[in-house]
Amino acid sequence: MTGQHPADASSRHEPRQVPYGESRWPMAAAVVVAAVLTLLLPDDLRLGPRWALPVVEGLLLVALIAGDPGRISRRSTALRAVSIALVGVLACGAIWSTIRLTDDLMHGGSETNSADALLQAGGSVWVSTVLAFSLLYFELDSGGPAARAHHVPPTPALAFPQHLSPELNATHWRPRYLDYLYLGFTNATAFSPTDVMPLAPWAKIVMTVQSVVSLLILGLVVARAVNVLA
């Protein structure tokens, strides 16, 4: 009768860790809202024809859903590339709209000469930037949602309260898209980290860029509103 190593015996009884895949639909809903906001923007504030960005975003989103439907847990180089491309398109569209809105506000363009047009254009661009940056955090943190479903590194790029306070850390906790949406919103309104701390250099750079963009939009919209209503 052969002996059995204790470590081998215990490893056989350890439960296999199930990937912690989150639902695709919150992220998909954010992409759809961003596409709708693009359609509502004035022509001068939009990158390309009215249909261009929404069609590209829709096709990339369909490819992601078809390749990994339901919960995000499949690790694939192709799907990762599609996710990065989708986030890149959203970010480019939001930044372009921000640049065009800034130029329009500084030079008194026709798109912001009335209070209604000002609020609609400024609000749409601001919300679009929040969604774009939230998806950027969602896709870049710890290798993306599919990688987080299988493993979270000991030192993540973005430290949530559950990472910083062991007593709050639930078993197998992973940040979900709503956590990154909250991060994007609070960083855009407070212009600084609130409860989520950036640890990686890229996270600090991206959060700084988002704060500057948000401050630029809100500051110029308020200044323009004073002139319009005066």
Side-chain angles (χ1 to χ4, degrees), residues 159-161 164 182-183 186 193-197:
F160 288 83
L164 299 174
Y182 177 76
L183 166 61
T186 55
T194 54
D195 62 336
V196 182
M197 296 295 107

Side-chain angles (χ1 to χ4, degrees), residues 25-41 54 57-58 61 90 123-132 134-135 177 181:
W25 302 117
M27 168 267 181
V31 174
V32 172
V33 171
V36 171
L37 291 175
T38 301
L39 292 173
L40 296 177
L41 284 175
E57 293 161 2
L61 180 60
L90 289 166
S124 296
V125 172
W126 186 81
V127 173
S128 296
T129 60
V130 170
L131 293 174
S134 69
L135 289 166
Y177 173 68
L181 179 60

Side-chain angles (χ1 to χ4, degrees), residues 6-205:
D8 296 335
S10 60
S11 61
R12 294 181 180 181
H13 297 286
E14 290 179 357
R16 184 179 179 182
Q17 185 174 357
V18 179
Y20 189 89
E22 65 173 292
S23 174
R24 171 84 60 187
W25 302 117
M27 168 267 181
V31 174
V32 172
V33 171
V36 171
L37 291 175
T38 301
L39 292 173
L40 296 177
L41 284 175
D43 292 337
D44 291 344
L45 304 184
R46 192 186 309 109
L47 178 61
R50 181 180 296 271
W51 54 268
L53 284 182
V55 168
V56 173
E57 293 161 2
L59 291 175
L60 292 173
L61 180 60
V62 169
L64 284 177
I65 295 175
D68 190 15
R71 295 191 172 274
I72 308 174
S73 59
R74 181 184 174 190
R75 305 182 71 174
S76 165
T77 302
L79 289 176
R80 176 71 171 159
V82 173
S83 298
I84 294 294
L86 176 57
V87 173
V89 170
L90 289 166
C92 288
I95 292 175
W96 175 264
S97 296
T98 300
I99 294 173
R100 297 298 304 161
L101 176 64
T102 301
D103 181 74
D104 197 275
L105 290 169
M106 292 180 65
H107 296 91
S110 59
E111 305 296 347
T112 55
N113 275 336
S114 69
D116 291 342
L118 174 63
L119 291 176
Q120 179 179 343
S124 296
V125 172
W126 186 81
V127 173
S128 296
T129 60
V130 170
L131 293 174
F133 277 95
S134 69
L135 289 166
L136 189 62
Y137 300 133
F138 173 75
E139 189 58 44
L140 295 183
D141 185 30
S142 300
R148 290 193 300 271
H150 296 269
H151 172 70
V152 172
T155 305
L158 294 166
F160 288 83
Q162 288 85 348
H163 297 138
L164 299 174
S165 302
E167 65 274 10
L168 299 178
N169 188 14
T171 304
H172 304 308
W173 184 87
R174 303 286 191 279
R176 303 191 180 199
Y177 173 68
L178 290 180
D179 298 300
Y180 295 101
L181 179 60
Y182 177 76
L183 166 61
F185 177 79
T186 55
N187 193 54
T189 52
F191 313 123
S192 64
T194 54
D195 62 336
V196 182
M197 296 295 107
L199 302 182
W202 73 259
K204 296 177 182 180
I205 294 172

